[in-house]
Amino acid sequence: MKQIFKQLTPVIKRLRAQTVYYLFRARMPLALIALLVLQTHFFNIWLGLDPNQYLVRRTASAAALGFLLFGPAVLLKKKTGAWYLGVISSATAIIFICQFLYYSYSGGFLQPTAFFYLRQGLTVLDTVKTLLSFRLLVFLFGPIIVIIAGWWERREKISEPEELSKKDKIAISIVIFLAVTLGNGYLFLRETMEGGFTYIYEYKRLFDVNLFVSKVGILNFSIGNIVASGLRADKATAAEIDFAKQWVKKHVKPPTAGEKFGVARGRNLIIIQIESFENAVINEKVNGQEITPILNKLVADGLYFSNYYAPIGPGTTADAEFMSLNSLFALPDRVAFIDYAHHDYAALPSLLAKNGYQTFALHGDVPSFWNRANMYPKLGYQKWYGRKDYTIPRKIGAYDLGDKDFFLQSIPIIKTFPQPFLATLITLTSHVPYQLPPDLQKLTIPSDSPLHPYHRDYLQSAHYADESIGAFVAELKANNLYENSLIAIFGDHGSFTNIGAGLGKNKTAFAELQNSQIPLILIAPDADLHGVVDKPASHLDFYPTVAHLLGINPPPSILGQDLLTTKTPLVIHRNLISGTIKNIISDKLAYEAAPDGIFSHGICLALPEKKKLSPDECQTLYDNKEDLVRVSDTIIKGGLVP
């Protein structure tokens, strides 16, 4: 026995020395792997993304990614490895922080294409400041640890072990490969057992991004999305183009002239797009005060669409403009205003210009924001007025130019327009962070109000926007521009504050849709245009509805419906990234897709009573509209409008 132990002693010593040797080289990568796993869990816990349900799955997936990202540093020389770890840890910190801030603001996650829209993000730095938290320091620990460790090693003059042999590198590579394989293998096994693997890993079938992040972590999501985005085609294929053309021939019919056709013929068209303005505040009071007294009166004087939605994509305000002016769906993974601004469009301004209108856009921001300077000519605007055309007597809100100043300074400009004209005005003040100077906060909201402080700020901002519109309407009347105009007022998108829940609103088919419900008000004095329309509708339907009132037939490239004549009203909300249908609402049915994308797992409701039905009852409705969104994307990406 002693002889055997004596023979094994050198082997044990060598193994122990090698273990210490490898651990010395791997100490920093292993520390960063452990940190990444912890950061992944903190990210989900702080944002409430099912932190406990998929704990083991997320741990395995994050650890596997950690070995893949940080493991190769062991194979490098000391100085090169330190630089490598510094770069990788900094990159992961940036992803964590950017995704955390964006989700805190919008409730969604950044996509790779967002880097192309960085200039748009830089304009909302004031908003970012309100979201900063000491929690973000946790995501900076990686590069901080690398810097401190490098400084300590230099100070203590710690020598590096001898250079790895070829066998050592192969062994380490095998360990990294096994760690990555085992971590993802566990995830694969669990997803396969639950029947969700296909939907989790195929981004084109991704139905619930939050669920995906809950399972794999934000870094896996972000990196996988970058890869998927790189593989995704930016242009329509020949087969897609042929399908779209055949679909349009079969399904797009000439518009029907209803009794309201042309009631506003020859009038000016004034479009007011209000920033982040939700339907929840219309005809609502807080502490006995009307939140929007001006708009409430305009609702009573005009035609009010109370079940109108903003199914936008990553372009938010730009998507609202694109949908409203083109009657095409917003893209789920890109922003048409930037990625497809070189295409031609048969937009509403272009149609009006062909029918004798002068077309203008007015906005208190710089022309480069959302690439409007390049996109507006393609939409048919003949002239654009921007920030340089306005003065800022005092800075109000995130964009400096207050709505009231914007509207009042726009009146002298509008008075110079030859009639009939189209004037599109886009407001700015009711934008996050919804902070107004104290003297502009006109609502009295008690400090012990159950409303969240964010809700209170939003209500003050909405009230100010309403007051500003009132001043504008008064000036239109004073300058004889009100009576001979068709005025359209709508919110561009929701406020991301969940204000509907704060005010106790629950009127939509599914609760989450409350946040995307916005008002649409059409006013045409002395044109018998009154009442409340509760048909489900969206930005997609704005163009054909307005064209109908002006007595002008829209081109066949539009996919929305005239809300005054349609017998099949419809709203479709899509999943970001994949573009799959998340919610679909008709006048009689509503369907919500399940997180796993399996149709039979979704929810089908009978409207208006919200009675639960078998998903089969919604199958035909759903299947028919999958082709509709596919055709819209093809029209945009393929430049098929002409």
Side-chain angles (χ1 to χ4, degrees):
M1 193 71 178
K2 289 182 178 180
Q3 187 66 25
I4 295 173
F5 182 77
K6 188 176 181 180
Q7 291 177 348
L8 288 176
T9 298
V11 176
I12 294 172
K13 285 182 178 180
R14 187 169 63 253
L15 288 174
R16 185 167 54 189
Q18 286 181 329
T19 300
V20 173
Y21 167 65
Y22 288 136
L23 286 175
F24 183 88
R25 295 188 66 100
R27 69 198 186 288
M28 185 57 65
L30 288 174
L32 292 174
I33 291 169
L35 177 63
L36 186 145
V37 172
L38 290 174
Q39 289 172 328
T40 298
H41 291 319
F42 280 128
F43 183 94
N44 283 43
I45 291 169
W46 289 336
L47 294 180
L49 300 172
D50 291 324
N52 299 319
Q53 186 174 358
Y54 303 106
L55 182 64
V56 178
R57 213 171 307 190
R58 191 166 61 249
T59 299
S61 182
L65 180 62
F67 273 95
L68 183 63
L69 293 177
F70 300 117
V74 181
L75 303 172
L76 303 173
K77 290 185 177 181
K78 181 179 178 181
K79 187 174 182 180
T80 306
W83 276 103
Y84 173 84
L85 291 176
V87 171
I88 298 299
S89 60
S90 297
T92 59
I94 290 171
I95 292 175
F96 271 121
I97 291 171
C98 289
Q99 293 286 20
F100 190 89
L101 289 173
Y102 190 76
Y103 190 92
S104 299
Y105 158 60
S106 71
F109 295 109
L110 285 167
Q111 300 170 52
T113 51
F115 290 106
F116 299 115
Y117 319 133
L118 184 60
R119 291 182 63 187
Q120 277 59 253
L122 293 176
T123 63
V124 292
L125 287 178
D126 286 341
T127 300
V128 173
K129 293 176 184 177
T130 67
L131 301 174
L132 294 179
S133 163
F134 284 109
R135 290 175 172 179
L136 297 178
L137 292 176
V138 172
F139 304 126
L140 290 171
F141 280 177
I144 290 173
I145 288 174
V146 172
I147 292 171
I148 293 176
W151 169 82
W152 183 72
E153 288 185 0
R154 287 194 300 272
R155 181 177 179 273
E156 299 297 324
K157 298 180 180 179
I158 297 174
S159 60
E160 181 179 9
E162 63 187 49
E163 186 175 350
L164 293 172
S165 67
K166 187 175 181 180
K167 289 183 179 179
D168 293 332
K169 291 182 178 180
I170 292 174
I172 292 172
S173 298
I174 291 173
V175 170
I176 293 172
F177 174 78
L178 288 175
V180 173
T181 303
L182 288 173
N184 285 308
Y186 174 79
L187 180 68
F188 171 84
L189 180 63
R190 291 299 303 269
E191 290 301 320
T192 301
M193 291 172 62
E194 296 175 8
F197 175 74
T198 300
Y199 300 102
I200 286 296
Y201 280 92
E202 290 186 11
Y203 276 81
K204 63 182 179 181
R205 298 293 296 168
L206 189 59
F207 277 79
D208 191 329
V209 176
N210 284 14
L211 180 66
F212 183 72
V213 173
S214 296
K215 292 181 177 181
V216 304
I218 188 61
L219 279 183
N220 270 300
F221 162 76
S222 300
I223 294 172
N225 199 10
I226 290 171
V227 174
S229 180
L231 297 175
R232 195 179 296 129
D234 293 337
K235 296 181 180 179
T237 65
E240 289 172 332
I241 290 173
D242 182 64
F243 174 82
K245 289 180 177 179
Q246 296 303 320
W247 189 93
V248 169
K249 286 181 181 179
K250 182 178 179 180
H251 292 88
V252 177
K253 307 297 182 185
T256 302
E259 64 178 36
K260 300 296 183 183
F261 184 79
V263 297
R265 191 189 306 273
R267 295 191 184 210
N268 307 313
L269 174 60
I270 299 175
I271 299 174
I272 302 174
Q273 180 174 303
I274 317 175
E275 174 66 41
S276 305
F277 204 85
E278 289 195 29
N279 193 56
V281 299
I282 299 294
N283 287 324
E284 189 68 30
K285 293 182 179 181
V286 59
N287 196 31
Q289 308 152 96
E290 284 186 283
I291 301 170
T292 58
I294 300 299
L295 290 177
N296 294 347
K297 186 176 186 307
L298 293 175
V299 161
D301 291 342
L303 192 62
Y304 169 47
F305 295 86
S306 61
N307 198 19
Y308 192 83
Y309 297 87
I312 56 172
T316 57
T317 297
D319 283 343
E321 288 183 77
F322 183 82
M323 288 190 71
S324 300
L325 299 178
N326 289 288
S327 194
L328 294 168
F329 286 98
L331 294 170
D333 58 343
R334 298 187 181 277
V335 180
F337 261 48
I338 291 178
D339 293 285
Y340 299 99
H342 57 286
H343 287 168
D344 292 319
Y345 296 93
L348 178 59
S350 179
L351 177 70
L352 296 183
K354 292 177 181 178
N355 283 271
Y357 278 71
Q358 302 296 307
T359 56
F360 307 92
L362 303 95
H363 192 298
D365 209 340
V366 294
S368 60
F369 193 66
W370 286 125
N371 199 33
R372 287 186 174 101
N374 293 315
M375 188 60 165
Y376 275 179
K378 292 292 185 179
L379 298 178
Y381 284 115
Q382 295 161 336
K383 189 170 183 180
W384 144 276
Y385 293 85
R387 191 180 185 93
K388 64 180 178 58
D389 300 295
Y390 293 87
T391 59
I392 302 175
R394 64 182 295 197
K395 292 184 177 181
I396 300 173
Y399 290 87
D400 296 342
L401 181 63
D403 287 348
K404 186 173 288 188
D405 293 321
F406 167 66
F407 279 126
L408 295 182
Q409 291 181 45
S410 294
I411 288 292
I413 298 173
I414 294 174
K415 286 170 60 177
T416 66
F417 296 164
Q419 300 190 39
F421 61 77
L422 160 65
T424 300
L425 299 98
I426 301 176
T427 72
L428 291 170
T429 306
S430 50
H431 190 286
V432 288
Y434 310 119
Q435 294 177 348
L436 293 176
D439 63 301
L440 297 181
Q441 298 179 26
K442 302 292 182 65
L443 294 174
T444 302
I445 305 177
S447 58
D448 60 351
S449 168
L451 289 170
H452 189 278
Y454 206 34
H455 290 157
R456 299 178 203 172
D457 288 343
Y458 177 71
L459 294 180
Q460 296 287 6
S461 184
H463 185 73
Y464 171 76
D466 177 82
E467 180 182 313
S468 301
I469 291 172
F472 180 64
V473 169
E475 286 299 311
L476 289 177
K477 292 178 178 179
N479 288 277
N480 299 317
L481 292 170
Y482 183 78
E483 297 297 328
N484 63 336
S485 295
L486 169 62
I487 302 172
I489 304 173
F490 60 84
D492 59 354
H493 53 73
S495 64
F496 308 115
T497 64
N498 203 22
I499 187 62
L503 294 173
K505 292 291 187 77
N506 184 25
K507 295 183 178 180
T508 54
F510 301 104
E512 66 177 35
L513 295 181
Q514 186 75 57
N515 297 323
S516 67
Q517 192 179 67
I518 56 174
L520 169 63
I521 308 167
L522 300 177
I523 306 109
D526 302 322
D528 190 25
L529 200 65
H530 304 282
V532 177
V533 179
D534 62 358
K535 296 177 182 177
S538 74
H539 285 323
L540 197 74
D541 307 309
F542 179 79
Y543 182 171
T545 303
V546 169
H548 182 90
L549 293 172
L550 294 174
I552 303 172
N553 288 322
S557 62
I558 71 169
L559 300 180
Q561 303 183 79
D562 167 25
L563 298 175
L564 302 176
T565 60
T566 183
K567 296 180 180 179
T568 57
L570 191 76
V571 173
I572 295 175
H573 284 78
R574 306 170 71 186
N575 287 298
L576 293 180
I577 304 172
S578 65
T580 49
I581 294 177
K582 185 176 184 179
N583 303 102
I584 185 167
I585 310 168
S586 70
D587 56 339
K588 296 179 180 178
L589 294 171
Y591 177 79
E592 182 171 73
D596 60 11
I598 298 174
F599 187 85
S600 60
H601 293 174
I603 300 172
C604 182
L605 301 177
L607 299 179
E609 62 272 22
K610 298 184 184 181
K611 178 183 177 182
K612 195 169 183 178
L613 304 173
S614 166
D616 294 341
E617 299 288 335
C618 288
Q619 183 78 60
T620 301
L621 174 68
Y622 187 91
D623 290 345
N624 289 343
K625 302 313 171 187
E626 279 195 310
D627 287 343
L628 176 64
V629 295
R630 176 185 171 191
V631 166
S632 178
D633 289 353
T634 302
I635 289 174
I636 297 168
K637 294 181 178 181
L640 302 185
V641 172

